Amino acid sequence: MVDENLPARIPIVWSWKRSGMENMMKKKKRAGFNSMRMLKKTWVCYLFILPMVLYVVLFSYLPMYGIQLAFKDYRVSDGIWGSAWVGLKHFKTFFESWQFKNMLWNTLSLSLYSLVAGFPMPIIFALILNYVTHTRLKKTAQMITYAPHFISTVVYCGMILIFLASDGIVNQFLMLLGMEPAGFLSKPENFRHIYVWSGVLQNIGWGSIMYISVLTSVGPELHEAATVDGATRFQRLLYIDLPSIVPTMVIMLIMRAGEIMDLGFEKAFLLQNSVNLDYSEIISTYVYKIGIQGGQFSYSAAIGLFNNVINLLLLVAVNRIARKVSDVSLW
């Protein structure tokens, strides 16, 4: 049977839907107006972040145009668009290279060694510094540990080479103690230890700034209540301070995981010599040599793309694991 009241209901339903759509449009217009009004009030804040936005666009997004070089046999005379497509040729050449396994191992070993040694040190330093009550001692320790971060890589590597030379300051000190001078730079297996621990020494203070700022935001009433209950300093550190910086630790660990394959070539290249080449030749130094010095732009672009893809996969994987384990993640 056909409902006799159906024609009479249609205008009512249509008017109800129309009024709902009109309300939604009004809300959107009102939200847009409020956003524009807020933008006019806070335009100075957006002006402050404009240089960083331009930096990211110029140096992170626009260079992505050159990714196609990894799949082409680039010739300067033909240009990027005119060069012939070769598919995965350069990737196969890199994977089949006799240097691939050694470079990959050197890169991963240095990265993981740096992560294991360098990640917890700023946390430990921040926790220790948080319990230093002497103001002058605390500021002096901060100043001494922050200073190496502002030394350029070239100068810092020069200092390392001078200090660890056969007649350097370290060996002179060892001889004063009646010990034999050590061959720090003459033994290639020492390269990883020199690279990692010099980096820890340079960045331990700077890396602790974020953790110190989080620790200072912890309410003093928590420590007072714990002290009244008879908690020791170690128990306060374990049950109050450490849980407060766990979210920051997780975020920093995720970001560090996304840089596993992205070791900067400057320090490795400056500390590299013919003796330790088997230990110091990493992917970034190899890309610099074949790309800038050798002029093999397509081959170096393919290696760089491989590096970035591995970093992206590691970042996504570690972020997903962190979200499941601790409910803290980048997204």
Side-chain angles (χ1 to χ4, degrees):
M1 295 179 64
V2 180
D3 192 352
E4 297 178 354
N5 297 326
L6 183 60
R9 291 179 181 179
I10 292 177
I12 299 175
V13 174
W14 171 250
S15 62
W16 176 77
K17 288 185 177 180
R18 184 176 180 181
S19 62
M21 293 174 63
E22 290 178 352
N23 291 333
M24 289 177 60
M25 294 298 294
K26 288 180 180 178
K27 289 181 180 179
K28 289 182 178 180
K29 289 181 179 179
R30 194 180 300 115
F33 177 74
N34 292 334
S35 300
M36 290 300 298
R37 186 171 59 182
M38 184 64 66
L39 180 62
K40 291 180 179 179
K41 288 183 178 180
T42 60
W43 65 272
V44 177
C45 298
Y46 289 98
L47 187 63
F48 275 110
I49 67 172
L50 181 61
M52 183 55 64
V53 172
L54 292 176
Y55 177 85
V56 172
V57 171
L58 291 176
F59 295 99
S60 297
Y61 283 93
L62 290 182
M64 293 177 69
Y65 165 78
I67 290 178
Q68 58 183 306
L69 287 178
F71 306 95
K72 289 189 172 186
D73 191 5
Y74 175 69
R75 294 182 180 179
V76 179
S77 58
D78 297 333
I80 295 179
W81 286 106
S83 299
W85 290 92
V86 294
L88 302 177
K89 171 187 173 182
H90 301 298
F91 294 94
K92 293 179 181 178
T93 303
F94 177 60
F95 296 150
E96 294 173 358
S97 172
W98 63 272
Q99 294 177 301
F100 172 70
K101 291 183 179 180
N102 185 51
M103 286 188 300
L104 184 62
W105 168 247
N106 288 340
T107 303
L108 290 176
S109 61
L110 273 179
S111 295
L112 295 176
Y113 190 2
S114 300
L115 181 63
V116 173
F119 183 74
M121 294 303 289
I123 300 172
I124 297 172
F125 180 72
L127 291 172
I128 294 174
L129 204 63
N130 188 50
Y131 283 91
V132 176
T133 56
H134 197 285
T135 305
R136 182 172 297 180
L137 177 61
K138 186 175 183 178
K139 290 183 177 180
T140 302
Q142 287 178 309
M143 182 185 66
I144 294 173
T145 54
Y146 293 170
H149 176 78
F150 298 97
I151 301 175
S152 67
T153 305
V154 177
V155 175
Y156 193 68
C157 290
M159 295 171 61
I160 293 172
L161 295 176
I162 293 173
F163 291 163
L164 299 181
S166 57
D167 56 347
I169 296 175
V170 177
N171 277 325
Q172 293 289 341
F173 181 72
L174 292 177
M175 285 188 290
L176 286 175
L177 297 177
M179 302 172 63
E180 292 293 329
F184 295 105
L185 302 177
S186 60
K187 296 180 180 179
E189 60 271 14
N190 291 337
F191 173 81
R192 293 194 181 111
H193 305 299
I194 295 172
Y195 182 95
V196 171
W197 290 105
S198 62
V200 172
L201 181 63
Q202 185 179 17
N203 297 311
I204 183 173
W206 184 258
S208 66
I209 292 178
M210 187 172 295
Y211 300 108
I212 292 174
S213 63
V214 175
L215 290 171
T216 54
S217 64
V218 177
E221 62 274 3
L222 294 176
H223 287 278
E224 293 174 358
T227 304
V228 171
D229 291 340
T232 62
R233 285 191 176 184
F234 180 75
Q235 289 174 330
R236 287 158 52 195
L237 183 148
L238 191 62
Y239 296 107
I240 298 177
D241 292 329
L242 196 57
S244 66
I245 62 174
V246 165
T248 306
M249 291 167 54
V250 173
I251 295 297
M252 297 301 294
L253 181 62
I254 294 172
M255 296 177 68
R256 286 288 297 273
E259 300 174 354
I260 288 293
M261 299 290 291
D262 195 21
L263 276 176
F265 86 96
E266 297 94 346
K267 188 176 180 181
F269 184 75
L270 292 169
L271 295 177
Q272 192 176 87
N273 54 47
S274 58
V275 177
N276 59 24
L277 191 61
D278 291 337
Y279 290 83
S280 61
E281 187 73 303
I282 58 178
I283 293 178
S284 57
T285 58
Y286 182 69
V287 169
Y288 171 76
K289 291 176 182 178
I290 65 170
I292 304 299
Q293 297 179 346
Q296 301 183 40
F297 303 110
S298 295
Y299 186 45
S300 60
I303 299 174
L305 182 58
F306 164 76
N307 242 19
N308 293 330
V309 169
I310 297 298
N311 282 334
L312 178 61
L313 294 177
L314 287 173
L315 179 65
V316 173
V318 175
N319 184 77
R320 180 171 295 182
I321 294 171
R323 187 171 65 246
K324 290 183 178 180
V325 173
S326 62
D327 295 330
V328 179
S329 61
L330 289 176
W331 65 83

